[in-house]
Amino acid sequence: MELNENARIDTSQVEDRRGSGGGGGGMGIPIPIGGGRGGIVGIVIAVLVALVGGGFGLNAMTGGAEQGDNTALEQRCAAENALEQLDCRNTLYVNSIQAYWRTALPQSLGEQYRPTRTVFFSQAVNTACGQADSGVGPFYCPADSLVYIDLSFYEVLATQLGAEGEFAQPYVLAHEYGHHVQNLLGTNEQVRRQQQRDPGNANDLSVRLELQADCYAGAWAKNATGTADESGQKIFTSITERDIAEAIDTAEAIGDDAISKRADRPVNPEEFTHGSSEQRKQWFNRGYDTGDPASCDTFSGAV
């Protein structure tokens, strides 16, 4: 994977809250890494979390009043060595993902894309879905349409989950923006209503939602080298088969069964909320092989 050093890093697409104290104390969203209740790299929907045992519902939503300060980030990402900085590289990944969806969403799925921001936080953060700590992993909150990530998650991903490749990082972000696309299409709301009507099927619906986000991430990966900044400069100059293999390795590493095994817990498919390693690999590959998000219908038939 090679990023274009001449591409402009648009820091307006992220919000840096790492200096805001992390939103204070409190219990946070009760989804520790590997805990089996929503897990890592996913979507936090208040009603969904309550249905699968997370313990809070719509009344727990807060205003998410924190504001970030991008001043230091802007300075770093305007410097000559910007691509050596983790936060600047991740900002450029966000730029690529959103550039892709601006074109792909109306072309493939008939909906105009509305950009959103990724919030960089440290330790804990207030969101419109409640307060979250870093144990949640990266997530998307439909109530405020924001992606949230503590960048230290990538160290956890490499050291604890065995996904060491650098392309794991844009894959994770592309998955979260897949949830934003679902929000724009109304898929999240449809799933929430179905879960309310049929709580016994809540986990299966959650798995289908997550696998579709994996598929959307694969579609972005297939087209990432065609994305450009506002001036037309390519963002990626190359993405190799090795990079795609790293994304697939990451998808497998965060499968529900893989996480259960690492935690020495029984593997129970009925408790899955994100999908097995094989399912996550399969649906990422579906998106990558077709390059078309319209191929990512995980809600029809078996997954």
Side-chain angles (χ1 to χ4, degrees):
M1 177 184 74
E2 293 289 340
L3 289 166
N4 183 0
E5 294 182 356
N6 296 318
R8 177 181 176 271
I9 303 174
D10 182 2
T11 57
S12 72
Q13 295 186 24
V14 303
E15 184 180 338
D16 192 355
R17 297 190 196 172
R18 290 172 294 179
S20 65
M27 294 290 289
I29 296 174
I31 314 176
I33 287 179
R37 294 186 173 183
I40 56 178
V41 190
I43 184 168
V44 174
I45 305 177
V47 172
L48 184 154
V49 174
L51 285 169
V52 299
F56 72 93
L58 284 172
N59 292 335
M61 287 186 177
T62 67
E66 285 182 66
Q67 295 295 321
D69 181 356
N70 280 17
T71 304
L73 180 67
E74 291 170 1
Q75 293 173 347
R76 279 196 302 278
C77 295
E80 289 186 4
N81 67 341
L83 293 184
E84 297 176 13
Q85 308 299 319
L86 178 65
D87 49 9
C88 295
R89 290 198 310 275
N90 273 262
T91 302
L92 197 53
Y93 299 150
V94 169
N95 296 164
S96 171
I97 295 162
Q98 299 214 90
Y100 166 69
W101 282 114
R102 274 194 293 270
T103 300
L105 190 58
Q107 284 185 351
S108 292
L109 298 171
E111 183 75 27
Q112 290 301 309
Y113 183 71
R114 296 195 297 276
T116 191
R117 297 187 306 282
T118 291
V119 176
F120 295 155
F121 73 95
S122 179
Q123 297 185 347
V125 66
N126 286 326
T127 84
C129 293
Q131 188 182 68
D133 59 36
S134 297
V136 175
F139 66 95
Y140 175 78
C141 173
D144 57 23
S145 300
L146 296 175
V147 172
Y148 291 87
I149 184 169
D150 183 333
L151 294 174
S152 67
F153 170 74
Y154 295 135
E155 183 177 350
V156 173
L157 197 60
T159 60
Q160 296 185 29
L161 301 178
E164 300 178 356
E166 187 174 359
F167 203 74
Q169 297 179 20
Y171 156 72
V172 164
L173 291 169
H175 174 99
E176 298 311 328
Y177 273 89
H179 288 310
H180 179 55
V181 169
Q182 291 170 328
N183 208 29
L184 297 178
L185 293 170
T187 311
N188 295 336
E189 179 62 19
Q190 292 170 15
V191 166
R192 185 186 70 82
R193 289 198 301 265
Q194 289 178 38
Q195 288 175 320
Q196 287 180 318
R197 290 192 298 265
D198 186 9
N201 241 357
N203 282 7
D204 177 69
L205 289 165
S206 174
V207 166
R208 291 173 186 271
L209 201 67
E210 296 297 337
L211 295 178
Q212 186 175 66
D214 279 333
C215 187
Y216 286 161
W220 163 78
K222 183 71 170 184
N223 296 281
T225 53
T227 59
D229 67 13
E230 292 180 355
S231 69
Q233 288 277 354
K234 276 195 168 187
I235 293 175
F236 287 91
T237 57
S238 69
I239 292 176
T240 67
E241 289 301 315
R242 179 180 177 85
D243 297 322
I244 301 306
E246 290 174 355
I248 292 170
D249 288 346
T250 306
E252 292 181 306
I254 56 181
D256 286 319
D257 52 341
I259 291 173
S260 293
K261 289 174 183 176
R262 285 191 183 88
D264 291 324
R265 296 173 60 244
V267 176
N268 183 357
E270 292 185 0
E271 295 180 352
F272 288 0
T273 56
H274 284 60
S276 69
S277 296
E278 183 58 33
Q279 287 173 317
R280 301 199 73 161
K281 172 184 175 180
Q282 171 192 337
W283 282 99
F284 177 88
N285 277 332
R286 170 78 67 87
Y288 182 75
D289 291 342
T290 65
D292 183 3
S295 71
C296 297
D297 181 8
T298 56
F299 292 92
S300 298
V303 292

